[in-house]
């Protein structure tokens, strides 16, 4: 079936904004500027402040939700079900997981390359599958277990590529290894978020934009308040600011004032996450959840290509092998092989029934799976 212009627009919007989200965060890390009090020039390494910006972008999805609700009210559109009652506190536990996982991933992004960051996020499949069996009583198909094994193999290859790649003064080998491990650790937390959403949130049929915005609100408020104690907590080698603390928001604002392009990168991060969530939800609705998964995999290719073109990282052939294995694992876990097998064996189009409904046992992702 041919896509309409609107569907092509949504697919392109999701691919572009999803790529901008990771690239803008990495771009901000590459800037060097003096901080407060005439301190020496140093890299813009403020992962927790960047995470606050990401949650601000998610929070803006609430504005889109209320615009849709107003539009539905004017046109008497009851099919949208935009006023489904729910308890907002249901989103607090997954929001806390999202806040923790996102913050860890932004710390890791300072330590490793953007392409490895994006590829290693595929580890979420492993822990999501295992947690869904342990806590939701799901039974995974053989193809999903094979997908988990393939994902583990792909992660090993990507990690090996990082070990064998040339490292500059900005990314030492020890930092790259630490960053890779932190990314995988963050995927465990993201998997817990997905289990919580499956168990407590999705059964309430909350509008996706409202769900993203509500989690963004919790994450934005809580993490903004945590910036105050982070200003005084020593962080040792994990700190990227002159004071050596977990986060120095004042130093970040001083650097932004002295290098306006950092503000542009932060704005790109905030705005892209909002549009990415909207586009992702719309792609699932207009096309399918499988299409959303495919586009998310293509985002890795775009990020990788642009990182190489901009000279942010060196090419290593093992990354190609690792990416292909990870892609195969994702395809197996989410059932993307079934349509191909159906066409080859029966010569007919596969059924798409249930494609929009499955979460942990299939192709559905976390409500705000973005960064």
């Amino acid at each position: 079936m041919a896509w309409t212009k609107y569907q092509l627009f949504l697919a392109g919007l999701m691919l572009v904004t999803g790529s901008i989200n990771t690239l803008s965060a990495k771009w901000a890390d590459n800037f060097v500027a003096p901080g407060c009090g005439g301190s020496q020039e140093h890299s813009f390494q403020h992962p927790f402040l960047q995470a606050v910006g990401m949650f601000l972008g998610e929070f803006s999805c609430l504005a889109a939700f209320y615009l849709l609700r107003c539009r539905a009210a004017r046109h008497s559109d009851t099919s949208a079900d935009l006023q489904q009652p729910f308890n907002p506190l249901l989103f607090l536990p997954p929001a806390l997981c999202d806040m923790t996982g996102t913050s860890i991933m932004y710390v890791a992004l300072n330590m490793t390359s953007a392409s490895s960051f994006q590829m290693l996020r595929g580890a979420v499949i492993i822990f999501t599958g295992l947690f869904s069996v342990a806590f939701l009583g799901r039974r995974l198909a053989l193809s999903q277990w094979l997908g988990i094994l393939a994902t583990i193999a792909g992660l090993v290859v990507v990690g090996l590529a990082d070990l064998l790649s040339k490292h500059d003064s900005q990314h030492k080998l020890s930092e790259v290894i630490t960053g890779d491990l932190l990314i995988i650790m963050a995927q465990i937390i993201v998997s817990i978020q997905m289990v919580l959403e499956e168990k407590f949130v999705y059964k309430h049929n909350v509008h996706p934009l409202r769900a993203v915005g509500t989690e963004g609100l919790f994450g934005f408020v809580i993490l903004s308040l945590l910036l105050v104690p982070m200003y005084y907590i020593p962080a040792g080698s994990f700190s990227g600011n002159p004071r050596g603390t977990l986060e120095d928001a004042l130093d970040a604002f001083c650097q932004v004032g002295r290098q306006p392009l950092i503000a542009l990168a932060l704005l790109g991060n905030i705005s892209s996450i909002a549009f990415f969530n909207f586009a992702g939800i719309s792609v699932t609705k207009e096309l399918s959840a499988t299409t959303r998964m495919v586009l998310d995999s293509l985002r890795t290719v775009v990020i990788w290509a642009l990182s190489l073109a901009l000279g942010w990282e060196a090419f290593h052939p093992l990354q190609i092998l690792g990416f292909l294995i990870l892609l195969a694992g994702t395809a197996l876990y989410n059932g993307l092989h079934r349509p191909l097998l159906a066409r080859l064996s029966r010569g007919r189009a596969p059924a798409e029934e249930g494609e929009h409904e499955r979460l942990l046992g299939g192709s559905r992702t976390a409500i705000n799976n973005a960064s």
Side-chain angles (χ1 to χ4, degrees), residues 57-72:
E58 290 183 1
F59 179 31
S60 66
C61 288
L62 272 181
F65 164 76
Y66 286 113
L67 287 174
L68 286 177
R69 191 168 74 170
C70 292
R71 180 177 177 273

Side-chain angles (χ1 to χ4, degrees), residues 39-59:
S39 61
Q40 292 183 348
E41 289 189 345
H42 54 279
S43 299
F44 185 86
Q45 294 188 14
H46 298 281
F48 296 99
L49 186 68
Q50 287 180 299
V52 169
M54 193 213 74
F55 284 116
L56 179 61
E58 290 183 1
F59 179 31

Side-chain angles (χ1 to χ4, degrees), residues 79-304:
S79 63
D81 195 22
L82 295 175
Q83 302 186 48
Q84 176 80 14
F86 73 101
N87 184 358
L89 291 179
L90 286 173
F91 289 93
L92 182 57
L96 291 174
C97 291
D98 190 19
M99 180 187 73
T100 306
T102 299
S103 298
I104 292 175
M105 282 191 282
Y106 274 120
V107 171
L109 187 57
N110 289 332
M111 300 180 173
T112 190
S113 64
S115 62
S116 294
F117 168 84
Q118 198 65 34
M119 292 183 196
L120 291 173
R121 287 180 67 239
V124 70
I125 287 176
I126 301 170
F127 305 109
T128 299
L130 296 178
F131 289 160
S132 67
V133 171
F135 300 108
L136 297 179
R138 290 191 179 274
R139 297 179 63 183
L140 299 183
L142 176 61
S143 62
Q144 290 175 311
W145 286 113
L146 292 175
I148 289 175
L149 292 176
T151 301
I152 294 174
L155 293 175
V156 171
V157 174
V158 172
L160 185 61
D162 280 342
L163 289 176
L164 298 178
S165 296
K166 295 180 180 179
H167 304 287
D168 51 26
S169 58
Q170 184 181 1
H171 295 121
K172 297 178 181 178
L173 179 59
S174 59
E175 289 186 353
V176 171
I177 295 174
T178 303
D180 289 352
L181 292 176
L182 285 175
I183 295 169
I184 295 175
M185 183 190 304
Q187 302 319 302
I188 300 176
I189 300 172
V190 172
S191 301
I192 296 173
Q193 173 194 349
M194 295 176 70
V195 170
L196 291 172
E197 289 174 350
E198 167 77 355
K199 192 170 183 65
F200 300 111
V201 175
Y202 277 108
K203 64 182 180 181
H204 292 276
N205 194 28
V206 182
H207 190 275
L209 282 177
R210 193 175 192 181
V212 172
T214 304
E215 284 194 16
L217 172 61
F218 280 123
F220 175 73
V221 172
I222 296 172
L223 195 54
S224 295
L225 293 175
L226 288 177
L227 289 179
V228 177
M230 286 180 183
Y231 184 81
Y232 301 99
I233 299 175
S237 60
F238 282 97
S239 175
N241 58 75
R243 296 180 62 252
T245 55
L246 195 59
E247 181 60 281
D248 189 344
L250 296 180
D251 179 73
F253 291 129
C254 289
Q255 285 189 289
V256 170
R258 289 174 169 82
Q259 176 53 271
L261 288 178
I262 298 177
L264 182 62
L266 295 178
L267 182 61
N269 187 34
I270 295 171
S271 58
S272 64
I273 198 67
F275 284 105
F276 175 75
N277 277 291
F278 171 76
I281 291 167
S282 301
V283 165
T284 302
K285 179 180 178 181
E286 294 287 334
L287 295 166
S288 69
T290 300
T291 303
R292 182 174 180 175
M293 273 292 182
V294 173
L295 291 172
D296 205 45
S297 298
L298 289 176
R299 179 164 62 125
T300 303
V301 178
V302 173
I303 292 170
W304 188 17

Side-chain angles (χ1 to χ4, degrees), residues 17-31:
T17 55
S19 303
I20 290 175
N21 179 248
T22 300
L23 290 170
S24 60
K26 190 63 179 179
W27 187 35
D29 297 339
N30 289 333
F31 283 109

